[in-house]
Amino acid sequence: MDNDESLFSSPKSVLGLIFFGGMSIYFIYWIYINIIKDESGNPNNNNRNMQNNYQNNNLNNRNNQNNENYRIIKQKLSINMSLLMRDSAKTILTDINYIYELFDKLSEYYNLYLLIYIEDNINAEKIKENVLEYLEPIINDNIIYEHRIVFCTSIEGMTAIIRSLDPFIHIENNNYIVVQLIRYINEFWFVKQNDEKKEITKKIEADTNNAKQNIKELMDKIKFYSTFDELLDKEIKNK
């Protein structure tokens, strides 16, 4: 008897061949079910799903990148909130609906920072609580974040904070702050009913720190508006 006959005549050899053949068929069947066809019987559907997922992931990545770029493009805009406060104690603000609409429009293009000057040092904490409660609808809707609302107890302190914040644009109605920071801030939007352009120009010219500066270039940094409505018409509605 030769080697081939002894191989197939042995019961163990026959069982081994059957087992090997069965495992091969099972492996081929597994590849067919899990890779070539899905449960619905559509050929290569898993591959298409993988490709679609890859495309969707790329699209999401692009969207995230665009959103990130948009966040980067939005510049800092700081506002002296005394512009929107009515009484001498600085505890009553303008109508909340007007402020909400105003900040909502500005926040489309800028990251907003509010600076609030509190004259009453004794009741400063209570005033702070009242103001935050008043601004709660704006904070809750993420138009402005609470950590971007800064309270100051002196004009000098507010001036220092604005310079440290280094906003792209600062909205102001105090000519002292404008004169002090005109060399450092990119642009001012000065909102006041009284025309103070001549007075501000004189103070900037008289400031010895500006001796080496071009006064016209400094004044060109300031845009004058009599009301916030006028400011919005000129700066926001045309964007």
Side-chain angles (χ1 to χ4, degrees):
M1 185 179 293
D2 58 20
N3 291 337
D4 290 339
E5 290 179 347
S6 62
L7 176 66
F8 287 98
S9 62
S10 171
K12 291 184 178 181
S13 299
V14 172
L15 290 175
L17 290 173
I18 294 173
F19 177 78
F20 178 77
M23 290 298 294
S24 299
I25 293 172
Y26 175 80
F27 180 69
I28 294 171
Y29 176 75
W30 184 90
I31 292 176
Y32 178 75
I33 291 297
N34 291 279
I35 298 179
I36 300 177
K37 297 180 66 176
D38 65 359
E39 292 181 356
S40 63
N42 296 321
N44 298 323
N45 197 57
N46 283 342
N47 290 335
R48 287 202 301 271
N49 285 340
M50 291 174 64
Q51 183 177 6
N52 290 337
N53 289 336
Y54 176 78
Q55 292 173 346
N56 290 334
N57 288 336
N58 282 343
L59 179 61
N60 289 333
N61 289 336
R62 286 196 298 271
N63 289 336
N64 290 335
Q65 184 177 8
N66 290 336
N67 290 336
E68 182 64 25
N69 288 336
Y70 180 67
R71 285 196 293 272
I72 293 172
I73 290 171
K74 288 175 74 172
Q75 302 280 5
K76 293 180 185 177
L77 184 146
S78 56
I79 305 171
N80 184 344
M81 278 293 291
S82 61
L83 284 159
L84 300 169
M85 294 180 170
R86 293 193 303 226
D87 69 340
S88 58
K90 308 299 183 189
T91 54
I92 301 176
L93 303 177
T94 338
D95 176 59
I96 185 61
N97 294 324
Y98 176 79
I99 294 180
Y100 187 101
E101 183 180 357
L102 170 66
F103 288 174
D104 188 38
K105 290 178 180 178
L106 291 173
S107 67
E108 291 181 21
Y109 305 97
Y110 302 99
N111 291 322
L112 302 184
Y113 293 77
L114 304 186
L115 294 104
I116 301 172
Y117 171 48
I118 301 177
E119 293 178 322
D120 187 354
N121 292 337
I122 298 176
N123 298 309
E125 287 301 319
K126 182 62 178 176
I127 294 173
K128 180 179 178 180
E129 291 177 8
N130 292 340
V131 171
L132 290 177
E133 182 178 356
Y134 181 86
L135 296 174
E136 189 172 356
I138 299 171
I139 297 171
N140 288 344
D141 287 350
N142 293 328
I143 294 173
I144 187 168
Y145 299 105
E146 187 173 341
H147 70 273
R148 293 178 179 172
I149 301 175
V150 183
F151 294 86
C152 314
T153 55
S154 70
I155 295 298
E156 292 76 15
M158 178 179 286
T159 304
I161 290 172
I162 296 170
R163 181 175 177 183
S164 176
L165 182 62
D166 191 26
F168 185 73
I169 298 170
H170 178 67
I171 301 179
E172 187 56 65
N173 69 340
N174 187 310
N175 56 41
Y176 170 84
I177 293 178
V178 174
V179 172
Q180 294 298 312
L181 297 177
I182 191 64
R183 301 186 304 280
Y184 310 108
I185 304 302
N186 177 72
E187 186 172 317
F188 280 95
W189 293 348
F190 192 83
V191 183
K192 205 166 188 178
Q193 290 184 347
N194 299 328
D195 184 8
E196 295 194 17
K197 185 174 182 177
K198 291 182 179 179
E199 183 179 352
I200 291 176
T201 303
K202 289 179 180 179
K203 289 183 176 181
I204 289 176
E205 290 174 340
D207 190 341
T208 56
N209 292 320
N210 297 327
K212 296 182 180 180
Q213 302 287 324
N214 185 314
I215 301 302
K216 184 182 183 303
E217 289 181 359
L218 293 179
M219 288 303 300
D220 286 344
K221 290 184 172 186
I222 311 172
K223 295 182 179 180
F224 293 87
Y225 301 101
S226 58
T227 64
F228 263 107
D229 291 333
E230 181 186 2
L231 184 154
L232 289 177
D233 285 338
K234 296 287 182 63
E235 301 293 345
I236 302 299
K237 289 186 178 180
N238 294 328
K239 283 187 178 291

